[in-house]
């Protein structure tokens, strides 16, 4: 089968999976993941008696995977508005700090409690900590919360998470790629932060030059220039043992300082969505769900603990912003969703010998469940609050009668 036919078949499957998810009002990310798992070489290899295994060209899958990852993190960097952070630093950093301590701490506790080594615990902590900016932002638009007061602590928390994940990924890449020795990690960290410092300095102090380099009246030329710069810098980062995703984040942050930010976002969004979809399918293709069995206790504990953690930290963040109890509860409900960044960590765990077996599969299964759970909580928050309210009223009346 030619690469062209395989690519066409993959795109068709992605379209069908996304359409089904959209039909049932769910995020498309779990659908793309599930499609990859079903089509991959690991069980299940058939559905209703029909074989499902699909083995596309590995080089094509790797290219889709890397481009999707680069574009996801590029857009993340494009969205981080440091001016907003500095304008309301006290409340933004308070909300982000509560989120980091509660949910990052829960991840560390889970890794230690289940006997994982430090590197695997670091991966588990990141998977449990980081919410999905893409799914949450889309959910806020869908349910109409984007203009409400609760969107301020939600978006503030996501901005802090985005900044933390950039540093975290650099650190994790150094630990995973540094060969496991203190010297190796130190060298990798020095090279990583040195390279990123150069990229950040160019973006911060050379905004005018960056803007002149990419600006053109023709949309396709702007798209090509931005893509070329982003992919080239990401590729160079790999030569320095840095995650290509982190480098793409910094390129996005540099271009966010230019007057072309909104136009770049508009022009590149379709490319991001396409390659992001293929990234999720590619992650699913490499997932051996049989490994989830060994990590099932961790999976169940992580789901229960992290839902409670996000609800609690979100509620506290809402109160920091002076919101009512109902709106504060909405903040927690919105932040439950996990997505693309947990899968970035799953992808890194798959390629790293230093990470224990089963951690990557745990991350994929966890993300799938949390994406479904988070979008459902946000979409039906009103009905859930109504049920809780009626239950509370009934309990109160019963107590009063007795």
């Amino acid at each position: 089968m030619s690469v062209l036919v395989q690519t066409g078949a993959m795109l068709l499957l992605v379209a069908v999976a996304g359409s089904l998810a959209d039909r049932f009002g769910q995020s498309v990310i779990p659908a793309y993941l599930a499609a990859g798992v079903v089509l991959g070489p690991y069980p299940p290899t058939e559905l209703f008696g029909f074989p499902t295994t699909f083995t596309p060209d590995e080089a094509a899958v790797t290219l889709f995977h890397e481009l999707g990852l680069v574009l996801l993190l590029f857009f993340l960097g494009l969205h981080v508005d440091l001016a907003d952070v500095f304008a309301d630093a006290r409340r933004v950093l308070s909300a982000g700090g509560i989120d980091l301590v509660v949910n990052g701490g829960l991840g560390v506790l889970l890794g230690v409690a289940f006997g994982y080594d430090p590197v695997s615990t670091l991966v588990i902590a990141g998977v449990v900590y980081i919410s999905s900016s893409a799914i949450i932002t889309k959910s806020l638009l869908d349910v109409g919360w984007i203009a409400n007061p609760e969107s301020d602590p939600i978006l503030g928390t996501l901005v802090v998470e985005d900044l933390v994940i950039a540093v975290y990924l650099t650190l994790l890449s150094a630990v995973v790629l540094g060969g496991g020795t203190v010297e190796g990690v130190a060298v990798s960290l020095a090279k990583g932060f040195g390279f990123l410092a150069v990229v950040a300095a160019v973006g911060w102090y050379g905004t005018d030059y960056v803007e002149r380099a990419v600006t053109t009246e023709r949309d396709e030329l702007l798209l090509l220039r931005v893509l070329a710069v982003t992919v080239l810098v990401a590729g160079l980062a790999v030569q320095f043992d840095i995650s290509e995703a982190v480098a793409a984040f910094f390129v996005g942050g540099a271009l966010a300082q230019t007057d072309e930010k909104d136009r770049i976002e508009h022009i590149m969004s379709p490319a991001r969505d396409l390659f992001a979809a293929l990234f999720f399918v590619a992650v699913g293709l490499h997932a051996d769900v049989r490994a989830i069995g060994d990590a099932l206790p961790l999976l169940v504990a992580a789901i229960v603990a992290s839902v409670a953690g996000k609800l609690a930290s979100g509620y506290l963040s809402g109160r920091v912003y002076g919101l009512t109890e109902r709106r504060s509860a909405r903040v927690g409900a919105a932040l439950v969703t996990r997505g693309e960044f947990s899968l970035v960590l799953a992808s890194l765990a798959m390629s790293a010998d230093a990470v224990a077996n089963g951690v990557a599969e745990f991350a994929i299964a966890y993300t799938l469940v949390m994406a479904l759970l988070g979008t459902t909580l946000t979409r039906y928050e009103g009905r859930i609050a109504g049920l809780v309210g009626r239950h509370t009223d009934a309990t109160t009346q019963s107590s009063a009668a007795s």
Side-chain angles (χ1 to χ4, degrees):
M1 189 185 296
S2 72
V3 173
L4 202 57
V5 172
Q6 292 178 22
T7 304
M10 276 189 71
L11 290 173
L12 177 63
L13 295 167
V14 169
V16 170
S19 298
L20 286 173
D22 189 57
R23 173 69 179 80
F24 292 101
Q26 291 296 329
S27 164
V28 293
I29 291 178
Y32 296 153
L33 266 179
V37 170
V38 171
L39 297 172
Y42 306 106
T45 54
E46 63 176 35
L47 284 179
F48 309 112
F50 294 97
T52 58
T53 300
F54 177 67
T55 53
D57 182 79
E58 187 61 28
V61 172
T62 301
L63 179 62
F64 295 148
H65 177 277
E66 292 185 348
L67 283 177
L69 181 59
V70 164
L71 288 178
L72 276 172
L73 269 293
F74 169 81
F75 266 79
L76 180 61
L78 200 63
H79 279 140
V80 173
D81 193 336
L82 293 178
D84 284 349
V85 176
F86 292 132
D88 195 8
R90 185 188 66 80
R91 294 197 300 184
V92 170
L93 295 178
S94 296
I98 292 169
D99 175 56
L100 175 61
V101 170
V102 173
N103 299 292
L106 274 176
V108 172
L109 287 176
L110 284 166
V112 172
F114 282 85
Y116 284 96
D117 59 85
V119 175
S120 302
T121 297
L122 193 60
V123 174
I124 292 169
V127 170
V128 170
Y129 161 60
I130 194 78
S131 298
S132 168
S133 297
I135 302 177
I136 291 173
T137 304
K138 187 174 186 307
S139 294
L140 292 180
L141 292 168
D142 289 345
V143 299
W145 292 359
I146 196 70
N148 291 353
E150 53 266 36
S151 69
D152 289 340
I154 294 171
L155 296 177
T157 300
L158 292 179
V159 167
V160 174
E161 285 190 354
D162 293 346
L163 293 172
V164 170
I165 200 69
V167 177
Y168 166 82
L169 275 176
T170 305
L171 176 64
L172 187 63
S173 298
V175 171
V176 168
L177 302 174
T181 64
V182 174
E183 293 79 7
V185 171
V187 170
S188 294
L189 276 177
K191 286 196 298 183
F193 283 112
F195 181 86
L196 295 177
V198 171
V199 176
V202 170
W204 189 263
Y205 296 107
T207 303
D208 292 340
Y209 298 104
V210 172
E211 187 166 329
R212 279 202 290 272
V214 300
T215 299
T216 170
E217 292 183 357
R218 298 188 60 171
D219 288 349
E220 71 269 29
L221 291 181
L222 176 63
L223 172 64
L224 284 170
R225 290 180 184 184
V226 174
L227 265 179
V229 170
T230 307
V231 175
L232 271 175
V233 174
L236 286 173
V238 175
Q239 305 302 313
F240 285 84
D241 292 340
I242 310 168
S243 164
E244 64 271 43
V246 180
F249 174 90
F250 274 75
V251 175
L255 289 172
Q257 310 303 315
T258 70
D259 292 335
E260 295 289 338
K261 174 186 173 183
D262 293 339
R263 190 170 162 227
I264 291 170
E265 181 173 0
H266 174 71
I267 291 172
M268 292 192 65
S269 290
R272 174 205 59 191
D273 294 341
L274 169 62
F275 285 104
L278 293 173
F279 165 77
F280 296 128
V281 174
V283 171
L285 281 171
H286 292 107
D288 184 355
V289 293
R290 293 172 298 180
I292 295 174
D294 296 334
L296 192 58
L298 170 64
L299 177 64
V300 174
I303 291 170
V304 173
S306 55
V307 168
K310 284 291 182 182
L311 288 174
S313 64
Y315 178 84
L316 292 173
S317 298
R319 301 301 280 174
V320 167
Y321 275 74
L323 301 182
T324 64
E325 291 187 352
R326 172 70 181 276
R327 291 190 186 278
S328 297
R330 284 182 174 180
V331 176
L335 291 171
V336 164
T337 305
R338 309 305 201 273
E340 61 276 16
F341 304 115
S342 296
L343 292 179
V344 169
L345 296 176
S347 175
L348 184 62
M350 279 182 183
S351 61
D353 294 335
V355 180
N357 292 333
V359 172
E361 285 74 14
F362 152 74
I364 292 171
Y366 173 81
T367 305
L368 203 154
V369 173
M370 296 302 285
L372 289 172
L373 197 55
T375 50
T376 303
L377 271 176
T378 304
R379 186 175 294 273
Y380 298 107
E381 180 273 342
R383 294 184 187 179
I384 295 170
L387 289 173
V388 172
R390 280 198 291 273
H391 174 74
T392 304
D393 291 344
T395 303
T396 303
Q397 290 169 7
S398 174
S399 300
S402 64

